[in-house]
Amino acid sequence: MGEKVVAGAFDLADRRMYRRKLQQCLLGLERLLDEKRFDRPRNLMGLEIELNLADSAGLPRMMNEEVLERIASQDFQTELAQFNIEVNIAPHRLSGRVLDRLSEELRTGLGYADRMAGEVGAHIVMVGILPTLEAQDLVSANLSRADRYTLLNDRILAMRGEDITVDIDGVEHLVYTSGSIAPEAACTSTQLHLQVTPGRFAAVWNAAQAISGPQIAAAANSPFLFGRELWRETRPLLFQQATDTRPQELRTQGVRPLTWFGERWIDSVTDLFAENVRYYPSLLPICDDEDPLRVLDDGGVPQLRELTLHNGTIYRWNRPVYEVVDGVPHLRVENRVLPAGPTVTDVLANAAFYYGVVRSLAEASRPLWHRLPFDAAAANFDAACRDGVNATLHWPRGRGGTLTEVAAADLIREELLPLAHAGLDAWGIDPVDRDHYLGVIEQRCRRRTNGAEWQAATFHRLVERGLDRRVALASMTQRYRDLMEAGEPVHTWPVD
């Protein structure tokens, strides 16, 4: 099939044509749902991790093409900037010793990639935001050399009509103006995928939204940007601001940003895709020759490329995914909440917590989202990003479900970890893996520590010893990388 790339001005006729294709795709999705054409549940999970490239001094290295050429594996791909790469792990069935197998695969793959990167003077750092990034690193000249990134940059800036402003008020205050979307590249995340049936999609998505705040509280790992200490998990707010297509007047009018938490619980996956079509501009206007309704009439399965591409430029923290694999369509929830790192063990502990809690909440007889207002879930997300493991969240407690303030670490230990335990049992995860990885989350909460707390404490210790702030950040980053490679979970790391 051919594709038409609508470039240049993307005029009114182009927009109308593209919107018609999106509407056709949406009708195609609805027919597939009505005809029950989706893949049977296979309990499949997937994992993607975005990575940073740094030199031996902890400073960013703009050479992802050279590194990927040496790695020479389809599991590793480019990301937005030249100091980014991404590793994609093949889908695994959630059962047995899957977490142990994933640990071995990740350690082997990342170790090999780091050795290959070392041939050109680079090292892999798995962290939410590389602490040594400076404003001069995040410019359009350092975007990866791919047409998609250039087009995305041009479209966002054209729609915005003005430079991008980053304004984050945390421990310190940062105001920064950029002429490109390059600041988005500072945000490196872990993405967790879960294949679901159409009938279970809404419950899984709602559950994932509800626990996004606790996820961030336990896993925060992005406290620094441009030498400033900001939020414990600065990445989501930075990502939202760096991808914002709205000039000030549209923000004032309440127009939705490309990156957002959402505004309501859902009843069906079509709620999200319909919202995408109704409210969001088309950033990458690529039209396919496929007529999805005709494909369905002929007994085939449409790819719905316009709908999936459009969906890929709307950065929900829990995103719906439609894909056709071996001629059969399936749906996934993509959880985009977590930062990368600090270690493979920490990444898999975060995954175990997520998959376990989501399973329990999605199957609960009394859904959490009937008691937790959506606005409270969104506020929890913001509070956890700001304060990390020391955040205070709002959660329904008692028989009446009264919304109560509770320390995030206590909520996780007392209520969510038991749910995660039961959920992993329901998946059939081996008890050895279950206890090991959930034990990592418990220890973070007991010690009130995670990657962000370790970074901040180490940085301040170095500054107290007389190091310049930027030297302290570089020294901390080098120490972080050494401990990351050693592999012990972050709650055991010493603050030197």
Side-chain angles (χ1 to χ4, degrees):
M1 293 184 177
E3 291 181 343
K4 177 185 177 184
V5 180
V6 183
F10 193 40
D11 62 21
L12 182 60
D14 294 328
R15 288 196 294 272
R16 286 174 174 168
M17 175 183 67
Y18 197 74
R19 184 155 293 277
R20 284 196 298 270
K21 288 301 299 280
L22 286 174
Q23 293 286 357
Q24 284 184 323
C25 287
L26 190 58
L27 289 172
L29 176 64
E30 291 170 347
R31 273 187 56 179
L32 283 167
L33 291 167
D34 289 341
E35 295 171 8
K36 297 179 170 54
R37 300 277 296 277
F38 282 85
D39 193 9
R40 67 187 186 281
R42 291 187 289 165
N43 297 347
L44 291 180
M45 61 159 289
L47 178 65
E48 305 171 43
I49 308 175
E50 296 165 346
L51 306 164
N52 294 277
L53 299 174
D55 63 18
S56 57
L59 305 178
R61 288 283 277 164
M62 306 296 170
M63 55 192 323
N64 60 2
E65 288 186 0
E66 295 92 329
V67 169
L68 289 170
E69 182 179 353
R70 283 163 174 78
I71 294 173
S73 168
Q74 294 183 350
D75 293 341
F76 289 83
Q77 302 172 358
T78 58
E79 254 299 327
L80 180 60
Q82 294 178 41
F83 63 91
N84 301 141
I85 61 174
E86 180 178 85
V87 59
N88 298 289
I89 303 300
H92 285 62
R93 188 178 299 277
L94 266 169
S95 64
R97 300 300 305 276
V98 64
L99 298 174
D100 186 63
R101 293 195 300 274
L102 283 168
S103 176
E104 181 62 27
E105 287 183 31
L106 278 171
R107 291 177 196 279
T108 301
L110 293 177
Y112 169 76
D114 191 62
R115 290 193 299 275
M116 295 301 100
E119 293 183 357
V120 289
H123 301 280
I124 286 173
V125 182
M126 191 164 53
V127 64
I129 295 176
L130 188 66
T132 54
L133 283 171
E134 296 283 359
Q136 62 265 26
D137 298 316
L138 295 174
V139 294
S140 57
N142 287 335
L143 293 176
S144 291
R145 300 181 184 92
D147 292 341
R148 182 180 189 276
Y149 300 128
T150 301
L151 181 57
L152 186 64
N153 179 74
D154 293 346
R155 291 285 297 140
I156 286 178
L157 290 175
M159 294 180 70
R160 185 179 173 89
E162 60 190 32
D163 285 347
I164 290 168
T165 299
V166 173
D167 187 344
I168 302 174
D169 194 4
V171 177
E172 298 175 291
H173 191 191
L174 172 68
V175 179
Y176 166 73
T177 300
S178 173
S180 77
I181 65 169
E184 176 193 337
C187 308
T188 40
S189 65
T190 298
Q191 294 145 33
L192 303 174
H193 292 253
L194 178 62
Q195 184 185 353
V196 296
T197 61
R200 298 297 294 165
F201 186 94
V204 172
W205 188 87
N206 288 341
Q209 287 284 99
I211 66 163
S212 293
Q215 274 187 283
I216 285 285
N221 196 29
S222 314
F224 294 101
L225 178 66
F226 299 164
R228 304 286 178 86
E229 184 178 357
L230 301 172
W231 288 13
R232 282 307 187 246
E233 186 54 34
T234 303
R235 178 182 52 89
L237 183 57
L238 172 61
F239 198 101
Q240 178 177 328
Q241 294 181 0
T243 58
D244 201 343
T245 59
R246 307 168 302 165
Q248 181 58 49
E249 60 268 24
L250 294 185
R251 293 198 294 274
T252 302
Q253 293 170 22
V255 173
R256 294 163 175 80
L258 282 184
T259 303
W260 76 323
F261 189 81
E263 63 183 5
R264 62 188 175 95
W265 306 117
I266 66 168
D267 299 313
S268 166
V269 65
T270 54
D271 292 352
L272 299 176
F273 281 110
E275 194 174 70
N276 289 354
V277 173
R278 184 179 303 116
Y279 295 119
Y280 286 96
S282 302
L283 288 181
L284 298 177
I286 299 176
C287 285
D288 192 86
D289 289 339
E290 176 187 78
D291 182 334
L293 301 181
R294 182 174 299 171
V295 170
L296 283 164
D297 289 340
D298 292 341
V301 175
Q303 299 291 324
L304 307 183
R305 288 186 178 90
E306 290 86 2
L307 192 70
T308 57
L309 179 66
H310 185 50
N311 182 61
T313 61
I314 298 165
Y315 304 106
R316 300 177 185 274
W317 297 116
N318 288 286
R319 177 192 276 167
V321 177
Y322 168 89
E323 189 173 7
V324 180
V325 179
D326 297 328
V328 182
H330 78 236
L331 294 171
R332 301 194 306 271
V333 174
E334 180 189 17
N335 178 258
R336 302 168 51 81
V337 167
L338 295 167
T343 67
V344 168
T345 297
D346 287 299
V347 167
L348 293 177
N350 295 337
F353 179 70
Y354 169 76
Y355 288 118
V357 177
V358 162
R359 174 74 183 252
S360 287
L361 291 179
E363 295 183 349
S365 58
R366 188 184 180 201
L368 173 64
W369 46 97
H370 289 181
R371 295 171 288 134
L372 179 67
F374 193 90
D375 287 348
N380 285 344
F381 181 75
D382 289 342
C385 289
R386 184 178 57 251
D387 299 325
V389 74
N390 294 306
T392 298
L393 307 181
H394 290 85
W395 206 258
R397 285 290 180 91
R399 294 179 62 85
T402 302
L403 211 59
T404 305
E405 286 190 354
V406 56
D410 292 340
L411 173 66
I412 293 167
R413 287 181 56 215
E414 296 168 6
E415 186 168 336
L416 298 183
L417 277 173
L419 290 175
H421 189 288
L424 293 183
D425 284 347
W427 287 119
I429 298 297
D430 189 282
V432 172
D433 284 2
R434 177 201 66 202
D435 294 345
H436 173 60
Y437 289 106
L438 294 185
V440 170
I441 302 296
E442 180 180 16
Q443 287 301 313
R444 286 192 216 151
C445 293
R446 284 188 181 277
R447 302 183 188 196
R448 297 296 199 273
T449 193
N450 52 27
E453 294 301 320
W454 183 89
Q455 288 187 54
T458 301
F459 166 76
H460 287 293
R461 181 71 59 86
L462 293 169
V463 169
E464 289 168 3
R465 292 176 181 172
L467 270 65
D468 171 85
R469 288 174 63 95
R470 281 170 171 73
V471 175
L473 284 170
S475 179
M476 181 268 286
T477 302
Q478 291 171 286
R479 181 65 174 147
Y480 178 103
R481 179 180 167 272
D482 290 342
L483 291 166
M484 179 198 79
E485 286 192 340
E488 293 299 316
V490 71
H491 70 265
T492 68
W493 290 8
V495 177
D496 296 333

